[in-house]
Amino acid sequence: MDFGLTSGQREIRDQAARFADEEVAPQAAELDQEDRVPFETLETLSGMGFMGLCVPEEYGGAGSDFVSYALMLEEVSRADAGLGATLAVHTSAGTLPILTYGTEDQKTRWVPPLARGEKIGCFALTEPETGSDASAIQTRAERVDGGYRLSGHKQWITNGRIAGTMTVFARVEDKGVDKGVTAFVTSMDAEGVSFGKHAKKLGVISATTDDVILDNVFVPEEDRLGEEGKGLSVALGTLDPGRIGVAAQALGISEVAFRYATDYSTRRETFGKPIAEHQAVAFKLADMQTRTRAARLLTYEAAWMRDRGERVTEAGARAKLYASETANEVTHEALQVLGGRGYMKDESPVERHYRDARVTEIYEGTSEIQRLVISRGILREHAESLQLQDGAVVG
């Protein structure tokens, strides 16, 4: 589906697709079984410029746009959704917050190593007792001479053990007064940073997910990201483009499951003809393709809006909601088309895609949170339209 894409965007997509088919897909099942991060693949992606694809050249990136980033992420995720998750968190959550909210000094110091892939980024917000309600985090940042001392427990941090740079959130305390949630950037080799439990997950297994422990970690004043007490704005602002990345990841999962089901159904015969010619299967394929294409349009629209500097809170939520639910439906139907072969690990990759799809409805905000975001946007737009109508009547 090339309409609306520039020649440069198509070139990036095609390059990513070739790399995914030739280098990523052949090792995906092995990585899934061994719970292993593909470090050599990440190094190759760095050399291709994909680790900082949408980062400006002045900060060490490739200088491409967000649409190109979404295209790349979709193709990589089609081969290995775990690698897609690693890339998405590194870029959307690990690098872009510093570009968006950082000072010029912070951008110059922290972003180039991330954009070049010399360091991996992670985003430490979730805690054992805090998920969707980010305002309830318990990690503390005590004000001290020259900066802050952070202590707390962060849970399920994607890229945790392989990251070199962390965007982390804590409640600032200054002489016993709670100043509110605040964002910081710190190195993962800072004294007091350690790792807790390594998560054993249902899917996206080649993306490492770990608990991060902060024990009196010193963060200098100049590495606070934004103002004190404004950390929730940083977190929520980071989730907007992050959700577009999850939508792209879900698209890749949907596309590969649809392709596999189509190919299998044209080769597998029952009652003297390919099962794709039986209406029960043919209609499944029709629904799978239609939903995947619709999700792709929502995802590309949200990425395009971000490139134009438009608000993408609701657009990202729509893309993430629809694409993630589509990935779960399409992989479900693909497994149904394959029957027993789809259920077996050594018979097809569909069972892996089925497992990988599930988390796309959970991280970067559950489907329920996306519906909340979208509905609030609808009500806000309605209220604004009423104000405009009232103004026109008064005028």
Side-chain angles (χ1 to χ4, degrees):
M1 189 164 58
D2 286 347
F3 72 89
L5 298 182
T6 67
S7 59
Q9 290 166 344
R10 290 195 296 272
E11 183 179 351
I12 289 171
R13 180 201 60 192
D14 294 345
Q15 183 184 13
R18 288 193 298 271
F19 180 76
D21 290 336
E22 296 171 5
E23 303 294 335
V24 180
Q27 62 175 342
E30 181 179 319
L31 295 171
D32 175 77
Q33 291 298 308
E34 296 179 0
D35 192 357
R36 179 164 56 87
V37 177
F39 290 105
E40 292 183 358
T41 303
L42 290 173
E43 290 180 4
T44 304
L45 288 168
S46 299
M48 297 170 69
F50 284 175
M51 301 298 284
L53 188 60
C54 57
V55 175
E57 292 181 3
E58 62 188 291
Y59 298 114
S64 297
D65 55 19
F66 206 78
V67 170
S68 297
Y69 164 68
L71 292 167
M72 179 274 292
L73 197 57
E74 176 185 347
E75 294 298 338
V76 171
S77 298
R78 178 173 58 80
D80 183 357
L83 180 59
T86 299
L87 288 171
V89 170
H90 164 76
T91 302
S92 298
T95 306
L96 294 187
I98 307 174
L99 272 175
T100 304
Y101 299 99
T103 64
E104 187 59 34
D105 172 67
Q106 289 171 336
K107 295 175 188 178
T108 302
R109 287 189 294 112
W110 291 103
V111 173
L114 292 166
R116 293 192 293 262
E118 297 166 2
K119 291 188 176 181
I120 302 296
C122 70
F123 185 80
L125 178 64
T126 301
E127 298 179 359
E129 301 300 326
T130 305
S132 298
D133 183 8
S135 64
I137 65 171
Q138 298 300 307
T139 297
R140 297 290 168 175
E142 180 184 1
R143 254 203 174 279
V144 296
D145 289 343
Y148 304 83
R149 290 282 181 181
L150 276 60
S151 296
H153 181 176
K154 297 297 183 178
Q155 187 177 49
W156 302 332
I157 307 305
T158 301
N159 295 347
R161 290 180 186 272
I162 66 172
T165 302
M166 172 173 58
T167 301
V168 59
F169 298 82
R171 307 192 71 87
V172 169
E173 287 187 355
D174 186 5
K175 298 178 181 178
V177 178
D178 186 344
K179 298 291 186 177
V181 177
T182 304
F184 302 89
V185 183
T186 189
S187 173
M188 295 300 284
D189 60 9
E191 184 178 356
V193 176
S194 62
F195 301 102
K197 182 180 179 181
H198 170 66
K200 298 294 185 180
K201 308 186 297 290
L202 175 71
V204 293
I205 292 174
S206 63
T208 186
T209 305
D210 310 284
D211 286 11
V212 177
I213 311 301
L214 306 168
D215 183 11
N216 207 31
V217 177
F218 178 71
V219 178
E221 178 89 25
E222 58 266 27
D223 288 334
R224 186 187 68 223
L225 193 59
E227 300 177 25
E228 275 189 2
K230 302 296 184 181
L232 285 180
S233 296
V234 176
L236 296 177
T238 299
L239 290 175
D240 289 347
R243 286 165 177 163
I244 303 173
V246 175
Q249 180 191 11
L251 268 178
I253 298 171
S254 296
E255 180 64 31
V256 69
F258 164 70
R259 291 185 190 182
Y260 202 94
T262 300
D263 180 68
Y264 176 82
S265 64
T266 58
R267 291 182 291 104
R268 169 68 168 167
E269 292 190 1
T270 60
F271 305 105
K273 62 181 178 180
I275 62 172
E277 296 182 17
H278 295 297
Q279 190 178 80
V281 174
F283 280 14
K284 288 183 184 296
L285 298 177
D287 289 342
M288 291 160 71
Q289 185 192 64
T290 300
R291 286 208 56 161
T292 299
R293 291 198 170 193
R296 182 170 287 114
L297 289 174
L298 284 171
T299 303
Y300 290 5
E301 177 197 35
W304 174 79
M305 288 173 63
R306 188 185 187 280
D307 282 331
R308 290 167 56 90
E310 298 181 24
R311 173 188 172 95
V312 294
T313 302
E314 290 81 25
R318 284 192 296 269
K320 198 264 190 189
L321 172 66
Y322 194 80
S324 64
E325 293 192 345
T326 293
N328 278 273
E329 179 175 329
V330 169
T331 54
H332 172 87
E333 294 290 19
L335 198 152
Q336 199 70 15
V337 169
L338 268 71
R341 284 186 173 83
Y343 193 73
M344 303 300 170
K345 287 182 180 290
D346 59 349
E347 293 283 346
S348 83
V350 171
E351 66 85 28
R352 171 166 55 85
H353 302 316
Y354 181 80
R355 289 185 285 108
D356 288 343
R358 190 64 191 90
V359 75
T360 63
E361 285 193 72
I362 298 173
Y363 57 17
E364 297 281 359
T366 63
S367 291
E368 290 74 19
I369 291 295
Q370 307 314 312
R371 288 185 167 88
L372 180 63
V373 170
I374 296 166
S375 62
R376 284 176 174 173
I378 292 170
L379 296 178
R380 188 193 70 256
E381 291 175 0
H382 179 66
E384 290 173 353
S385 68
L386 290 178
Q387 290 177 352
L388 289 174
Q389 293 173 21
D390 290 343
V393 171
V394 172

